[in-house]
Amino acid sequence: MKANIVFEMAKDGGCSCYMLEEVPDFGLLGYGNTPQEAKADMLQAYEEIKELLIAEGKSPAELEFVYHYDMKSFFEYFDFLNVSKVAERAGINPSLMRKYTSGVANAGEGQYLKLQKAIHSIAHELATANF
């Protein structure tokens, strides 16, 4: 069963992630100083809930997580990506992209679609690269 997980960076610099769907027995949330910490917190809760359900004689659902990021949490999580270079590839002004990732400005749906297309292109190039 697919579970959509949304990451959001807070104004205080912390991060949270939560499950969009309602799945019986699972109401997953995660918190941390970084998206990595929030994800680890949520996955730990998932494993603990599964253990409790098994102890109760239940068969917990196996969830396949699909992660959704806002721009700030995306570039925080994938901190090895150069924001300006990704912006150029997406056809977004690098200065504007830095404002998006710092939380100074908010991107519209069109900008997110450009970014998603560029990220998928990068992922494809990486997947087909060989040494």
Side-chain angles (χ1 to χ4, degrees):
M1 169 182 287
K2 287 195 180 197
N4 289 290
I5 306 298
V6 175
F7 285 87
E8 294 179 345
M9 295 298 292
K11 291 186 182 190
D12 68 0
C15 186
S16 66
C17 62
Y18 58 90
M19 190 167 59
L20 283 178
E21 300 84 8
E22 288 189 28
V23 176
D25 299 318
F26 292 100
L28 297 175
L29 299 167
Y31 299 97
N33 292 320
T34 66
Q36 292 87 340
E37 288 179 9
K39 180 180 178 181
D41 185 47
M42 183 207 60
L43 292 175
Q44 180 179 352
Y46 174 59
E47 293 302 323
E48 289 171 359
I49 292 169
K50 284 189 344 185
E51 289 174 13
L52 288 171
L53 292 171
I54 290 169
E56 293 174 0
K58 297 180 180 178
S59 296
E62 285 296 323
L63 301 177
E64 176 186 343
F65 298 110
V66 178
Y67 300 104
H68 303 268
Y69 302 88
D70 62 9
M71 279 200 203
K72 190 171 183 176
S73 63
F74 178 84
F75 283 101
E76 173 94 14
Y77 191 88
F78 298 100
D79 60 358
F80 55 87
L81 292 173
N82 180 300
V83 174
S84 295
K85 293 293 185 184
V86 173
E88 288 173 8
R89 189 174 260 236
I92 299 171
N93 179 296
S95 176
L96 184 58
M97 180 70 114
R98 287 189 296 278
K99 288 180 182 178
Y100 294 153
T101 59
S102 68
V104 173
N106 294 318
E109 186 176 344
Q111 297 290 64
Y112 272 103
L113 291 174
K114 285 181 183 179
L115 179 61
Q116 183 171 325
K117 184 177 178 183
I119 294 300
H120 287 178
S121 172
I122 292 167
H124 175 73
E125 287 182 37
L126 289 171
T128 58
N130 293 297
F131 292 98

